[in-house]
Amino acid sequence: SILLVLNTLHLIPNNIDHIRVVAKCPYVFMILSQGQLLKSFSRGKMTGGDFLCATVPPQGKWIYCIGEDGIMYMFNTLTGKLENFLQVSDREIIGIAHHPYLNLVCTITDHGQLSLWKP
């Protein structure tokens, strides 16, 4: 059995049966509410490549994940492919959120630096 440190869960507004699970590991998982694995997202980096946090916009088409390396990774939830990435900090990111109406992502570091991004 594998023990994962769970960071966040995301319920998807347009599909309440799907849950995105972010654990301190190199994968983000999409599971059904019954627990079956549907899809996993990975950037392919196995060492030093754990995800710390993530956010999902209200439409649910993307998942924005922050890695230990300070990079925001943008996955298409329909295809599971990594579509883009952006270096957002050289500090540890401790939180990420998506604006409810605009295409705007907010990150915060361990030193309180708040940044806004248009992915």
Side-chain angles (χ1 to χ4, degrees):
S1 121
I2 297 173
L3 177 65
L4 293 176
V5 176
L6 191 61
N7 289 342
T8 54
L9 295 174
H10 299 276
L11 302 175
I12 308 306
N14 59 359
N15 193 340
I16 59 172
D17 228 16
H18 291 187
I19 301 168
R20 305 243 167 57
V21 178
V22 181
K24 189 167 173 37
C25 72
Y27 296 96
V28 173
F29 304 100
M30 184 186 316
I31 64 170
L32 286 174
S33 57
Q34 297 82 17
Q36 294 110 331
L37 178 65
L38 291 175
K39 200 179 292 186
S40 63
F41 306 91
S42 173
R43 61 179 179 233
K45 190 175 183 182
M46 299 309 289
T47 58
D50 290 348
F51 289 117
L52 302 175
C53 52
T55 190
V56 177
Q59 300 80 13
K61 183 179 177 188
W62 300 96
I63 184 164
Y64 301 98
C65 305
I66 299 292
E68 289 177 318
D69 51 7
I71 296 176
M72 177 170 50
Y73 296 88
M74 295 155 256
F75 293 97
N76 182 313
T77 58
L78 300 175
T79 65
K81 292 184 179 180
L82 175 63
E83 296 285 337
N84 207 349
F85 59 91
L86 174 67
Q87 180 75 46
V88 293
S89 182
D90 57 353
R91 307 279 323 167
E92 182 180 351
I93 305 286
I94 60 171
I96 183 171
H98 194 283
H99 191 281
Y101 307 112
L102 302 175
N103 187 24
L104 195 62
V105 175
C106 170
T107 58
I108 189 165
T109 68
D110 58 348
H111 273 81
Q113 178 186 357
L114 181 70
S115 301
L116 299 174
W117 308 94
K118 290 191 92 164

